Amino acid sequence: MRPYILAETNWKALKEEKIELAVMPWGATEAHNYHLPYGTDVYEADAFGAAAGKIAWEAGAKVMILPTIPFGVNTGQSDIYLDMNLNPSTQLAILKDLVTVLHRQGIPKLLILNSHGGNDFKTILREIGLLFPDMFFSTCNWFQAMDKPKYFEHMGDHADEMETSLIMHLHSHLVLPLEEAGDGSDKKSKVKAIREGWAWAERKWSMVTEDTGIGNPKASTPEKGERFLKDTSEKIAELMIDLANLDINDRYE
């Protein structure tokens, strides 16, 4: 039993505990090229939450890793078979209910550990923050925490070398041979400002990629995934420790 994993701990261990920071991993269920499982984002969220939570807990931080929410915003993938979608308004409703529990229990801080590029919690947390002004809310994307070119040869953002390497390390039995994977090539927008990144429009997934991947996975190895998981988890743990120790009434310097 890991005392920082809510799904594993028990009432005997928790009834006298004072948790400072709840961590809510949030993933998605969607196709990841031909070779990775639909649950890739969920497996990654579980792994980063548990690994970072362990480091933070052993450093004395009172953190609690909540069960991963397995569905995310997949509005751009509505025609990809069994890609499961939650609308942002639904995410807000779910979050409001769960934060109500944390608030009632006296847990003052929440970190959303995001594991899916289609999720964007900034505007949602602005609204939640008005409803619960005596709490502290934050979010992070683990996939943006590190300098990826230091770990991987080929860049992408979906079922790429990074994600493939991670799942090869975490759940190798769920990864098909790389020769069965698509090359993850994608089409770019015809709108210059969108290509340059200072304008945005949602990608229509079936128009952008044939294999549902974006990024070449062919150079993936479990060793790369293990190294990236270790280094990224250490960095996320630092964030958890800082948040757990933060005085929310004295948060700036």
Side-chain angles (χ1 to χ4, degrees), residues 204-226:
K204 180 68 173 176
W205 216 251
S206 58
M207 294 183 180
V208 170
T209 168
E210 293 185 3
D211 53 35
T212 78
I214 294 181
N216 191 339
K218 300 295 186 176
S220 304
T221 69
E223 292 76 19
K224 291 178 180 178
E226 181 178 18

Side-chain angles (χ1 to χ4, degrees), residues 15 46 52 82 128 191 210 213 216:
K15 66 178 182 176
D46 287 342
L82 285 179
I128 290 289
V191 179
E210 293 185 3
N216 191 339

Side-chain angles (χ1 to χ4, degrees), residues 118-130:
N119 295 333
D120 185 357
F121 294 101
K122 289 181 182 179
T123 55
I124 291 175
L125 289 182
R126 290 179 188 272
E127 187 165 346
I128 290 289
L130 284 176

Side-chain angles (χ1 to χ4, degrees), residues 14-34:
L14 279 182
K15 66 178 182 176
E16 303 296 335
E17 194 64 81
K18 178 64 175 74
I19 300 300
E20 281 292 321
L21 174 69
V23 179
M24 184 181 296
W26 204 309
T29 299
E30 58 183 355
H32 275 72
N33 203 315
Y34 299 126

Side-chain angles (χ1 to χ4, degrees), residues 20-233:
E20 281 292 321
L21 174 69
V23 179
M24 184 181 296
W26 204 309
T29 299
E30 58 183 355
H32 275 72
N33 203 315
Y34 299 126
H35 63 294
L36 291 183
Y38 270 63
T40 289
D41 291 352
V42 178
Y43 293 127
E44 292 165 341
D46 287 342
F48 283 109
K54 180 177 189 293
I55 297 169
W57 184 268
E58 291 178 350
K62 294 300 183 179
V63 303
M64 184 59 61
I65 312 301
L66 307 181
T68 298
I69 295 177
F71 304 119
V73 176
N74 284 86
T75 50
Q77 302 181 19
S78 59
D79 57 349
I80 305 298
Y81 193 56
L82 285 179
D83 278 18
M84 308 304 292
N85 176 61
L86 287 183
N87 289 325
S89 57
T90 307
Q91 288 185 313
L92 173 61
I94 291 170
L95 195 57
K96 181 181 176 182
D97 283 354
L98 297 179
V99 169
T100 298
V101 175
L102 299 177
H103 185 264
R104 184 170 63 244
Q105 300 292 337
I107 297 174
K109 303 162 193 168
L110 172 69
L111 169 66
I112 298 179
L113 178 59
N114 183 35
S115 189
H116 171 58
N119 295 333
D120 185 357
F121 294 101
K122 289 181 182 179
T123 55
I124 291 175
L125 289 182
R126 290 179 188 272
E127 187 165 346
I128 290 289
L130 284 176
L131 299 175
F132 301 91
D134 55 341
M135 292 183 66
F136 179 89
F137 301 101
S138 57
T139 182
C140 74
N141 300 324
W142 64 258
F143 45 86
Q144 294 177 329
M146 308 301 288
D147 186 4
K148 286 175 60 176
K150 293 183 178 179
Y151 297 84
F152 307 105
E153 299 174 38
H154 305 291
M155 297 300 100
D157 63 21
H158 191 75
D160 58 352
E161 184 181 335
M162 176 189 72
E163 287 203 293
T164 302
S165 295
L166 281 168
I167 302 302
M168 290 173 78
H169 167 59
L170 294 168
H171 300 287
S172 60
H173 63 292
L174 299 178
V175 183
L176 293 179
L178 289 179
E179 55 266 25
E180 297 189 31
D183 62 11
S185 60
D186 63 303
K187 297 178 180 179
K188 308 301 181 184
S189 175
K190 294 182 177 180
V191 179
K192 180 182 178 183
I194 294 175
R195 293 197 309 272
E196 292 177 347
W198 60 275
W200 177 88
E202 184 173 51
R203 289 178 290 188
K204 180 68 173 176
W205 216 251
S206 58
M207 294 183 180
V208 170
T209 168
E210 293 185 3
D211 53 35
T212 78
I214 294 181
N216 191 339
K218 300 295 186 176
S220 304
T221 69
E223 292 76 19
K224 291 178 180 178
E226 181 178 18
R227 176 173 171 246
F228 185 76
L229 176 66
K230 176 180 180 296
D231 292 353
T232 306
S233 296

